Amino acid sequence: MYANSTAAMSELVFYVNGKKIVEKNPSPTTLLADVLRYKLKLTGTKVSCGEGGCGSCTVMVSWFDRSTSKILHYSVNACIVPICLLHGLAVTTVEAVGSTKTRLHELQERLVSGHGIQCGFCTPGMVMSMYALLRSNPVPTELQIEHALKGNLCRCTGYRPILDAFRSFSKDSGCPMGDRCCRNKDKKNSSDVVENCNENKNESDMGKQELIFPSELQLSDVYDQQTLEFKSDEVTWLRPVCLKDLLLLKKQHPEALLAAGGTNVAFYLRNASREKPLVIIATTHITELRSFEENEDGFLVGAMTSMTLLENKLMSLIDKHSETKTRLYHSLLDALCLFGSPQIRNRATIGGSLATASRLADVNVLLLAAGSHVKIASTDGEREVKIHDFFTGKSTTCLKPNEVITDVLLPFSTQDEYCGFYKQSPRKDLTLADVNAGLLMEFEAKNSSTVKNAFFAFGGLSSMLAVAKKSSSFVIGRKLDGSLLNELMLSLANELDQFVSGDDAKSFKVAVAQGFMFKFFLKISHQRFPKLEFLRLFKEEERYLLSSQADLQQKHSGVQVYDIITNQSETDSVGQPVPHRYAKQCATGEAVFIDDILPSQGELYLTLVTSTKASAKILKIDPSKALAMKGVVGFLDHTSIISSNKTGLYLDEEIFATEKVDFVGQTIGAVVAESHEIARKAARAVVIEYEELQPITTIEDAISHNSFHSWPGDMGAINYGNVSKAFGSCDHVIEGELKVGSQEHFYMETNSVRVVPKGEDGEMDVYCGTQYGAGLQNLVASTLNVPCNKIYVHTKRMGGSFGGKEFRSYLITLPSALAAHKFNRPVRCALERRQDMQITGYRRAYLAKFKVGFNNNGKVMALDLDMYSNDGFHPEYSAGFMGQSLFYSDNCYAIPNIYVRGHLCKTNLPPTTAMRGAGVPQGLVICEYWMTRVAEFLKRPQHKIREVNMYRGGDVTFISVPIEDSLRRCFEEVLKQSDYEHALVNIENFNRQSTFLKKGISVIPIKFSPGLPPSWYKAGAVVNVYLDGSVLLYHGGVESGQGLHTKMIQIASRVLGVSIDKIHISETCTGIIPNSATTGGSSGADLNGAAILDACNQLMARLKPIKDSNPDGKWEDWIKTAIAQKINLSASGYYNRAISEDFDWKTGKGQPYGYYTYGSAVTQVEIDCLSGNYVILKVDIVMDVGKSLNPAIDVGQIEGAFVMGTGLYALEEHLFGANGHLETSGAGKYHIPTISSIPLEMNVSLLKDCGNPQAVYSSKGIGEPPLLLSNSVFFAIENAVIAARRQAGLSPDFAFNSPATTKQIQSACGLGPQHLLKSLVT
């Protein structure tokens, strides 16, 4: 097989955390994450998305580069790295960085003390990305730190505390308060604390505890020189070490895939449908493909060059040569800056990018425009082709089956040649392009304005890279002036229109491509003819339009200000910014999540078989192929049911579908096997035959088909005042509509469960990430036909939940419980990301139709509103969530006459479920939308109209809830802190001068009531004190990153008078705390804190005589005495005082909420009218949290919720197709905010001198309220769009729906290049 006579090795050797790993004939389908987690039991490396799109699985890979004699370290995504690529390499995981058993690494310590950890699931990946950077660059810049983390997603923190903690490693970091740093104040006279002051931090001790690179790999090149061959039944993996062998193998296996960086190989390896065995040839150790050569034509790059290495080489060439000679290289750096993530760039190669021939590949489109050359080799010889001839069609090239790419020529630019790269994508990082472009223009001679040559290439417009040949030819021989630009825009529009025929986003894509050309034209004119002034540019426009991507990178910052209690006992931690109790465990990877629990002997793995049709009859279920697979133990469907097949909140769903399926993702069956991989593969082999029916998928479909879920009782409408009469007396009446899109939770840990039969009497332990253990316990017991006292649901922690694990955890738990019962073996199920997104529920989409009456002074007098929600096929808790929407249809405004109605649309989509805010985010943005319409109609400042209508302290809402002074205090304080009036004037001045860039500003007040329905308002707790004085707490709430356990420990510490170090919470368990309410509604601390308070007070009452008799004694002394006196040191606390009452929908009487949490936010944005891109420039938030139990945790909740809400209102498109399939499935297509999405400046202040007599120690619930503030981002963007439309002479009355995506922004601005030229050409 190989040219030399040496036999190929079938033994894989690599190192993990300094330990040598030897695998004999490993399976080529095995990925690094699987080995780490399942074989080596290193579960600190998490798997979240399974496609290299979230960074949770990040590890560091190191190798010795013999060409430079240096050890290189880089971050990679373990979930997509085939293990066979690791021969001779060293892997470092989070376990080797630091440990609570020895010592934490400095970066882990800083992350913990900087409050950069909430749920902790993403934390090991964050740590490893930063660790890899520090190993390569011990003193990076702040921008390099941010850049290194752009491949890591976090759904909890909002990123700011993570950035603050890590940027302390940069020498150019300092306290965000500058001269006002709290360290410059007298601490005794100051109660203001600013989080994460970086001044005077100890120098990093990097290097003192770093893992030493294995000497064997450094001293010997034996592993570099070994040819490899690994085989499984389906895949053969070959690794040659010289080009001659590679070409020979490619001749023998012309159909073989080449694995260079391997970033795409994992997807082929996991594909179960193969007609014949797959052959993969690894090219990693072929030195001929990793060469570099500089010649007179340019820079010849080996095909195996990674994007990261290419980036470094290009920067060296730019430093070495003139600007004119390296213009292509500057543009390539622009492309690489936006290419994937650091983890992807570290592995992806330039040859691999070209070979994929992707229409969206950023590098390909630029190299096409630049006229690069590609060198190709085979056993028949070598040839060189122009890149114009290399790409031949949709994902096809001129490569023959036996050929490989060896080198790519990156040509030097001439002094008369200019090129540019441009990209438009839904999200700045980790996202494929909607449209990208590589543009080149060459002029006749020095100082000539006559175009000699041009080449315009675009990606994303059609199924292949598009070359605008007519427009490229059109400019040749023409002079560079305004007339040419105007005509070129028209030519380009006509030509590109043909490429995007049939695309729903046709007009958007053409306009964006024109915008690219417009910017390119400006760039050329500025570089070549700086004195040519045929375009008038505002200075900030000029900076933006002419800057490189690297130059546009900006640092993020923020200030967090709050009061802390001074002169407080050392054993009283209430009100102190204590770090998350289990942050150290999360930072070291020691924190155990569900799928981290080590398997028992004989443990089985379950994968659901779900419907691929939205509405269909089931004709046949055939699991025979699956059951025939090795390692498959069994198959479950409706015939496996022990008791009832009915389940769900209202027992209206089936555990396994019987005769019909009603949405894509509905459970039909389940495969049980001996491993995750076998179970998932077998599930895909189960054959389901259907008779398809016509589905209903949209709100509009449901309305036209009169398809609605029924309301229970009299719910569904609130009629307050006399709306009809009020409309008759108003000065003005307007009507309108708003659509609010749905949203995916995207918790980092997917739904997971482990069910363990205890071996007797029907008992079972259920380890599940659920917010509602008691509810799940009842469903499992009912399914197995056993009493609840034999089912014990355990939840130690969750990697995020946000409502998504409140009700629908049963989807995997019940089949797993049935399998555990049937086979009498432990069974676990961990959903893959795409399946989790398809089946487990999401925030419901809304359509609102409103009519508003108001007077000339801006006072709103009447509101008539219909809200339609797309609830999917089953209603779950839809009525309750729509009820929330109706209750908040006023937001913070006193409207004397309101008639609001809710409609629950029944569609063939998966059922919706609870999500952070539970109906309030939709109701509130609808309210603010029509309030904005009132302001625009009256041509009055929006904040003035809001102020005119705002409730005052002492008012009572239309649902009888009293309003506190804090509402207006927050509003007034945020206007002051943001210097709103001055900012508004500056923005208006900016918009008058700027054509392409527009700024917007918005201030939004909110109120939100933490709590649950009165019947759910209960909580239990158990506090145990042991002989050594240590304390163990149990309560009914679950920890999902919101810091609930930490706050509970703080409450206990105050009452008991002991240090928090003596208090521990192990888990939440239904066997200890029965019948608990769900952990949701931002009520966890209110309910469980009160129960813990009760239990601790009982203990202190029992200890009082002992303390009185020995007042100078210590806690441990009192406990020993109590035990000697046989005093019970276990107390059970309980709380059941509802602070609200049921609302009578018929009479409109009742107070559904006990209190409100208030806040206000001012957001400033800048939009690019040509592309729709936007930047959140600054956010100021003032929040009333009462007397905070832990201000650091509360600030973290505010920031994290705000960023999640930014996704809801301005980024995340959650789209179902007409066939019911989720089109935005997976991390690659569903775009939650990244580090680049957050505000450049985010300032959070907690309102001073607040209280709340209805909750523990005057605190307030905070998990959900701040999310509502982020609709200020939506309205700031809309405000900027209105400014653009005003300039274009367009009506301010236009459709602008949520989320405010880049597509919608660009389309709504109405400022196409042709229109702009009318005012700019002189």
Side-chain angles (χ1 to χ4, degrees):
M1 184 174 289
Y2 294 95
N4 59 45
S5 59
T6 304
M9 298 289 293
S10 61
E11 191 174 76
L12 178 71
V13 179
F14 63 104
Y15 281 76
V16 175
N17 298 339
K19 179 182 178 181
K20 187 174 183 178
I21 307 297
V22 179
E23 288 276 336
K24 293 186 177 180
N25 199 27
S27 169
T29 62
T30 303
L31 302 177
L32 174 57
D34 297 332
V35 172
L36 295 176
R37 292 181 56 80
Y38 303 132
K39 181 169 183 176
L40 302 180
K41 313 302 181 188
L42 297 172
T43 56
T45 302
K46 310 302 180 191
V47 175
S48 179
C49 72
E51 56 185 76
C54 73
S56 294
C57 64
T58 301
V59 298
M60 184 177 80
V61 172
S62 307
W63 66 291
F64 187 69
D65 184 357
R66 305 195 186 280
S67 66
T68 61
S69 297
K70 291 182 179 179
I71 301 170
L72 303 181
H73 309 283
Y74 51 91
S75 58
V76 303
N77 298 118
C79 73
I80 60 170
V81 174
I83 190 175
C84 295
L85 280 175
L86 297 175
H87 192 67
L89 305 183
V91 177
T92 304
T93 72
V94 68
E95 286 88 350
V97 176
S99 168
T100 60
K101 298 174 184 177
T102 52
R103 60 174 294 194
L104 267 64
H105 191 282
E106 182 68 16
L107 72 86
Q108 294 167 322
E109 289 278 11
R110 295 189 191 184
L111 191 59
V112 170
S113 62
H115 309 287
I117 299 170
Q118 289 188 23
C119 86
F121 198 84
C122 74
T123 305
M126 293 283 183
V127 168
M128 293 312 299
S129 288
M130 185 65 189
Y131 182 75
L133 173 66
L134 293 177
R135 288 297 299 267
S136 300
N137 183 3
V139 189
T141 66
E142 290 188 33
L143 281 176
Q144 286 172 333
I145 291 171
E146 292 200 13
H147 199 58
L149 297 175
K150 287 184 177 181
N152 295 76
L153 299 181
C154 175
R155 196 56 152 165
C156 296
T157 65
Y159 300 103
R160 192 278 312 163
I162 299 172
L163 287 174
D164 278 0
F166 286 161
R167 68 161 51 101
S168 65
F169 287 95
S170 172
K171 282 187 175 180
D172 54 12
S173 68
C175 177
M177 291 292 284
D179 293 338
R180 295 183 293 124
C181 173
C182 59
R183 293 181 180 272
N184 297 327
K185 299 180 181 180
D186 183 351
K187 293 182 182 178
K188 294 182 179 179
N189 298 325
S190 175
S191 61
D192 283 350
V193 171
V194 180
E195 280 192 21
N196 300 327
C197 174
N198 295 323
E199 292 297 307
N200 302 322
K201 286 206 173 184
N202 294 329
E203 288 294 317
S204 167
D205 61 355
M206 287 289 297
K208 295 181 181 179
Q209 64 182 93
E210 310 305 354
L211 199 66
I212 298 174
F213 185 75
S215 59
E216 180 189 19
L217 301 184
Q218 185 170 352
L219 298 176
S220 170
D221 68 350
V222 61
Y223 298 123
D224 299 345
Q225 301 303 319
Q226 289 176 340
T227 57
L228 304 177
E229 181 177 345
F230 308 125
K231 285 187 176 183
S232 68
D233 292 339
E234 295 183 326
V235 180
T236 296
W237 184 284
L238 305 170
R239 192 194 79 170
V241 292
C242 66
L243 182 59
K244 184 178 181 180
D245 278 352
L246 171 62
L247 300 181
L248 180 62
L249 289 173
K250 199 68 172 79
K251 180 179 181 180
Q252 295 170 347
H253 305 282
E255 77 290 348
L257 294 175
L258 298 187
T263 52
N264 284 327
V265 171
F267 303 102
Y268 291 101
L269 294 177
R270 288 295 170 91
N271 183 6
S273 56
R274 297 192 191 99
E275 295 181 359
K276 56 182 179 179
L278 178 67
V279 177
I280 296 176
I281 304 174
T283 60
T284 50
H285 284 65
I286 299 175
T287 55
E288 296 99 321
L289 301 184
R290 297 170 60 189
S291 61
F292 302 98
E293 179 186 331
E294 183 182 334
N295 56 40
E296 60 181 13
D297 296 321
F299 189 50
L300 195 63
V301 179
M304 259 297 299
T305 303
S306 72
M307 297 302 184
T308 297
L309 182 56
L310 177 61
E311 196 172 12
N312 294 334
K313 292 290 185 181
L314 291 175
M315 287 190 285
S316 298
L317 288 168
I318 287 172
D319 290 338
K320 179 180 178 181
H321 296 286
S322 66
E323 181 275 333
T324 57
K325 197 172 185 178
T326 58
R327 285 175 183 150
L328 170 61
Y329 303 163
H330 281 279
S331 296
L332 274 170
L333 288 180
D334 278 350
L336 293 172
C337 182
L338 300 177
F339 184 98
S341 66
Q343 293 94 322
I344 297 297
R345 288 193 293 274
N346 288 336
R347 298 292 300 172
T349 64
I350 187 169
S353 178
L354 290 174
T356 62
S358 170
R359 68 190 182 96
L360 298 175
D362 297 332
V363 172
N364 293 6
V365 72
L366 182 58
L367 295 184
L368 181 61
S372 299
H373 287 215
V374 182
K375 287 193 172 184
I376 298 169
S378 71
T379 53
D380 298 328
E382 297 180 353
R383 64 188 179 111
E384 183 174 326
V385 299
K386 295 180 179 179
I387 198 166
H388 305 158
D389 302 320
F390 180 77
F391 299 117
T392 57
K394 180 181 178 181
S395 300
T396 60
T397 69
C398 70
L399 284 173
K400 298 174 184 177
N402 66 329
E403 289 183 322
V404 300
I405 302 171
T406 59
D407 302 279
V408 182
L409 176 66
L410 309 180
F412 286 128
S413 303
T414 68
Q415 67 174 4
D416 300 308
E417 193 175 50
Y418 301 83
C419 60
F421 170 80
Y422 301 90
K423 178 178 180 178
Q424 167 60 36
S425 56
R427 181 179 66 187
K428 192 168 185 179
D429 301 315
L430 277 172
T431 312
L432 293 174
D434 283 329
V435 187
N436 58 17
L439 308 176
L440 179 136
M441 201 177 287
E442 183 183 7
F443 293 87
E444 289 286 356
K446 187 176 182 180
N447 299 324
S448 170
S449 63
T450 302
V451 180
K452 177 182 179 181
N453 184 38
F455 199 96
F456 307 144
F458 298 90
L461 300 181
S462 64
S463 60
M464 58 183 290
L465 292 173
V467 177
K469 295 181 180 179
K470 292 181 181 179
S471 298
S472 300
S473 300
F474 172 78
V475 301
I476 296 175
R478 299 286 302 274
K479 290 187 179 297
L480 185 77
D481 56 22
S483 176
L484 175 60
L485 177 58
N486 196 16
E487 293 177 42
L488 177 58
M489 290 296 100
L490 296 174
S491 171
L492 201 61
N494 293 330
E495 186 171 7
L496 297 185
D497 189 71
Q498 302 172 21
F499 287 109
V500 290
S501 58
D503 193 323
D504 292 339
K506 178 176 180 176
S507 59
F508 163 74
K509 290 188 173 183
V510 171
V512 166
Q514 288 179 292
F516 291 161
M517 184 61 70
F518 193 85
K519 293 175 184 179
F520 181 55
F521 210 93
L522 298 185
K523 173 182 175 180
I524 296 173
S525 63
H526 182 269
Q527 289 181 335
R528 189 168 182 84
F529 309 109
K531 296 182 179 180
L532 182 64
E533 296 184 355
F534 64 85
L535 294 171
R536 297 189 301 269
L537 287 178
F538 185 41
K539 60 180 181 180
E540 291 196 37
E541 284 183 297
E542 183 172 314
R543 175 194 61 79
Y544 172 80
L545 294 171
L546 302 178
S547 294
S548 68
Q549 288 296 331
D551 292 336
L552 290 174
Q553 304 299 307
Q554 299 182 62
K555 295 183 293 186
H556 296 82
S557 64
V559 174
Q560 307 79 42
V561 180
Y562 47 78
D563 280 349
I564 60 171
I565 303 171
T566 56
N567 302 318
Q568 190 165 305
S569 167
E570 291 183 1
T571 58
D572 180 5
S573 62
V574 170
Q576 301 299 324
V578 176
H580 193 293
R581 175 62 180 82
Y582 303 102
K584 290 183 179 180
Q585 289 85 343
C586 294
T588 57
E590 296 166 24
V592 178
F593 295 85
I594 299 299
D595 203 33
D596 296 339
I597 301 173
L598 297 181
S600 304
Q601 185 175 359
E603 188 154 331
L604 300 175
Y605 299 81
L606 180 142
T607 296
L608 299 179
V609 176
T610 59
S611 168
T612 58
K613 307 298 179 184
S615 180
K617 295 178 182 178
I618 299 175
L619 301 180
K620 181 182 179 182
I621 303 173
D622 181 6
S624 58
K625 289 184 179 179
L627 291 171
M629 292 181 178
K630 183 179 179 181
V632 173
V633 175
F635 176 76
L636 305 179
D637 62 8
H638 65 91
T639 63
S640 308
I641 294 296
I642 297 171
S643 178
S644 171
N645 195 30
K646 291 294 185 181
T647 190
L649 199 62
Y650 301 117
L651 298 180
D652 61 339
E653 299 186 52
E654 292 182 318
I655 299 173
F656 297 115
T658 52
E659 299 176 348
K660 186 176 180 291
V661 290
D662 299 300
F663 53 89
V664 175
Q666 184 173 351
T667 304
I668 296 174
V671 171
V672 184
E674 294 176 351
S675 74
H676 274 310
E677 185 176 357
I678 294 171
R680 290 165 179 168
K681 180 179 178 182
R684 292 191 288 265
V686 176
V687 176
I688 313 291
E689 294 182 5
Y690 305 92
E691 179 186 327
E692 288 196 65
L693 306 173
Q694 183 62 41
I696 295 171
T697 58
T698 67
I699 290 176
E700 292 78 6
D701 285 345
I703 294 173
S704 65
H705 287 84
N706 195 31
S707 179
F708 298 99
H709 296 294
S710 59
W711 281 91
D714 297 309
M715 290 180 69
I718 303 175
N719 198 342
Y720 177 81
N722 191 324
V723 171
S724 298
K725 183 177 179 181
F727 277 127
S729 60
C730 292
D731 294 333
H732 308 284
V733 176
I734 61 173
E735 298 183 41
E737 291 187 2
L738 176 68
K739 293 180 180 179
V740 184
S742 51
Q743 185 182 27
E744 161 64 26
H745 303 85
F746 212 96
Y747 29 68
M748 299 310 294
E749 178 194 25
T750 61
N751 272 277
S752 305
V753 69
R754 181 173 183 260
V755 182
V756 182
K758 303 191 76 169
E760 64 174 284
D761 212 17
E763 290 183 304
M764 276 195 181
D765 283 316
V766 178
Y767 300 89
C768 182
T770 177
Q771 297 171 243
Y772 191 19
L776 188 63
Q777 175 193 36
N778 184 59
L779 289 175
V780 172
S782 174
T783 299
L784 298 181
N785 199 24
V786 298
C788 286
N789 63 1
K790 295 182 180 180
I791 305 298
Y792 319 110
V793 177
H794 307 260
T795 304
K796 192 171 187 68
R797 60 174 56 85
M798 293 183 289
S801 55
F802 316 114
K805 298 173 183 176
E806 187 165 3
F807 300 123
R808 303 199 68 76
S809 300
Y810 70 81
L811 288 171
I812 58 172
T813 304
L814 300 186
S816 298
L818 285 166
H821 173 85
K822 179 176 181 178
F823 300 108
N824 197 30
R825 292 162 67 177
V827 174
R828 76 170 66 201
C829 176
L831 290 180
E832 292 183 293
R833 174 62 61 182
R834 290 174 183 265
Q835 188 173 48
D836 189 284
M837 293 181 69
Q838 178 71 52
I839 74 175
T840 59
Y842 46 92
R843 191 191 301 279
R844 47 194 47 78
Y846 272 46
L847 167 65
K849 299 183 179 183
F850 60 83
K851 180 179 179 182
V852 183
F854 52 96
N855 292 331
N856 289 323
N857 64 355
K859 176 62 180 173
V860 176
M861 302 306 296
L863 169 66
D864 185 273
L865 173 65
D866 281 290
M867 286 187 279
Y868 299 83
S869 59
N870 190 333
D871 291 286
F873 194 78
H874 296 286
E876 198 176 85
Y877 202 64
S878 299
F881 298 142
M882 176 58 84
Q884 289 273 85
S885 300
L886 299 178
F887 287 159
Y888 284 88
S889 57
D890 62 336
N891 190 18
C892 297
Y893 310 114
I895 307 168
N897 304 282
I898 299 178
Y899 185 26
V900 291
R901 300 164 298 281
H903 310 273
L904 313 176
C905 297
K906 182 178 182 179
T907 62
N908 292 108
L909 294 184
T912 56
T913 193
M915 187 170 180
R916 202 174 197 169
V920 180
Q922 299 96 321
L924 188 141
V925 73
I926 290 165
C927 174
E928 293 298 341
Y929 187 80
W930 59 251
M931 185 64 74
T932 302
R933 304 282 72 74
V934 170
E936 290 301 318
F937 182 92
L938 294 173
K939 295 181 173 58
R940 295 271 305 279
Q942 294 179 16
H943 71 289
K944 294 294 186 183
I945 298 300
R946 289 183 167 91
E947 198 168 22
V948 165
N949 288 283
M950 195 178 300
Y951 286 117
R952 296 183 177 277
D955 286 350
V956 177
T957 70
F958 78 114
I959 53 172
S960 306
V961 182
I963 297 292
E964 302 168 58
D965 292 334
S966 295
L967 171 61
R968 281 188 172 259
R969 284 186 61 203
C970 287
F971 191 77
E972 292 163 0
E973 187 68 23
V974 82
L975 290 176
K976 178 182 177 182
Q977 289 189 16
S978 65
D979 197 7
Y980 184 89
E981 296 285 356
H982 187 243
L984 181 61
V985 171
N986 287 342
I987 285 173
E988 290 173 344
N989 289 337
F990 178 92
N991 288 340
R992 276 192 290 270
Q993 299 177 75
S994 177
T995 304
F996 310 105
L997 301 180
K998 295 294 181 184
K999 291 185 178 181
I1001 189 170
S1002 177
V1003 56
I1004 298 292
I1006 64 99
K1007 59 175 171 49
F1008 183 95
S1009 177
L1012 298 169
S1015 61
W1016 292 11
Y1017 225 78
K1018 58 186 179 180
V1022 171
V1023 180
N1024 297 329
V1025 184
Y1026 295 92
L1027 181 62
D1028 60 355
S1030 62
V1031 181
L1032 179 63
L1033 302 184
Y1034 286 99
H1035 62 91
V1038 295
E1039 177 63 54
S1040 62
Q1042 81 279 45
L1044 179 60
H1045 283 352
T1046 307
K1047 288 183 175 181
M1048 298 304 96
I1049 289 172
Q1050 289 178 274
I1051 290 170
S1053 80
R1054 167 173 282 188
V1055 182
L1056 300 178
V1058 300
S1059 166
I1060 60 174
D1061 295 333
K1062 289 184 175 293
I1063 306 174
H1064 180 64
I1065 296 177
S1066 175
E1067 65 173 1
T1068 303
C1069 179
T1070 58
I1072 298 171
I1073 307 296
N1075 311 317
S1076 296
T1078 181
T1079 303
S1082 304
S1083 63
D1086 289 6
L1087 295 177
N1088 298 288
I1092 283 177
L1093 194 65
D1094 179 36
C1096 290
N1097 283 332
Q1098 292 177 43
L1099 287 172
M1100 294 309 291
R1102 297 172 195 171
L1103 291 172
K1104 187 176 185 302
I1106 296 174
K1107 291 181 64 177
D1108 290 345
S1109 65
N1110 183 17
D1112 296 327
K1114 296 181 179 180
W1115 169 258
E1116 290 82 1
D1117 299 330
W1118 300 329
I1119 296 306
K1120 289 179 181 178
T1121 302
I1123 291 174
Q1125 295 181 9
K1126 302 179 183 180
I1127 292 174
N1128 182 10
L1129 294 183
S1130 177
S1132 178
Y1134 196 68
Y1135 177 76
N1136 65 353
R1137 185 179 70 86
I1139 59 175
S1140 60
E1141 59 187 62
D1142 287 323
F1143 184 76
D1144 189 324
W1145 290 81
K1146 189 172 184 180
T1147 64
K1149 304 296 182 182
Q1151 182 183 328
Y1153 305 128
Y1155 70 87
Y1156 287 123
T1157 296
Y1158 302 96
S1160 287
V1162 171
T1163 295
Q1164 301 176 51
V1165 303
E1166 181 180 274
I1167 66 171
D1168 175 354
C1169 300
L1170 296 176
S1171 67
N1173 286 336
Y1174 64 89
V1175 176
I1176 305 174
L1177 300 172
K1178 184 184 179 189
V1179 172
D1180 291 278
I1181 294 173
V1182 175
M1183 204 85 201
D1184 163 28
V1185 299
K1187 295 186 184 300
S1188 175
L1189 295 172
N1190 186 319
I1193 284 178
D1194 287 348
V1195 165
Q1197 288 295 289
I1198 292 167
E1199 293 174 325
F1202 187 92
V1203 171
M1204 176 180 274
T1206 298
L1208 168 64
Y1209 294 123
L1211 179 60
E1212 298 172 33
E1213 285 191 288
H1214 187 252
L1215 304 175
F1216 286 94
N1219 60 2
H1221 284 265
L1222 181 62
E1223 295 183 341
T1224 51
S1225 180
K1229 292 184 178 179
Y1230 188 76
H1231 307 128
I1232 72 170
T1234 66
I1235 282 176
S1236 297
S1237 308
I1238 68 174
L1240 293 179
E1241 181 181 348
M1242 189 172 186
N1243 306 313
V1244 177
S1245 296
L1246 303 186
L1247 193 66
K1248 298 181 179 181
D1249 304 320
C1250 299
N1252 178 31
Q1254 302 195 69
V1256 179
Y1257 296 134
S1258 297
S1259 61
K1260 286 188 173 184
I1262 193 60
E1264 292 164 290
L1267 182 141
L1268 310 176
L1269 293 171
S1270 50
N1271 74 73
S1272 60
V1273 175
F1274 175 84
F1275 290 107
I1277 290 172
E1278 188 197 43
N1279 182 244
V1281 171
I1282 289 172
R1285 293 178 65 86
R1286 187 177 293 120
Q1287 175 180 292
L1290 302 174
S1291 169
D1293 184 17
F1294 61 103
F1296 198 70
N1297 297 310
S1298 175
T1301 62
T1302 54
K1303 292 179 184 178
Q1304 187 177 203
I1305 294 169
Q1306 193 280 332
S1307 300
C1309 282
L1311 290 182
Q1314 305 97 313
H1315 176 86
L1316 294 170
L1317 286 168
K1318 293 179 181 178
S1319 59
L1320 294 177
V1321 177
T1322 60

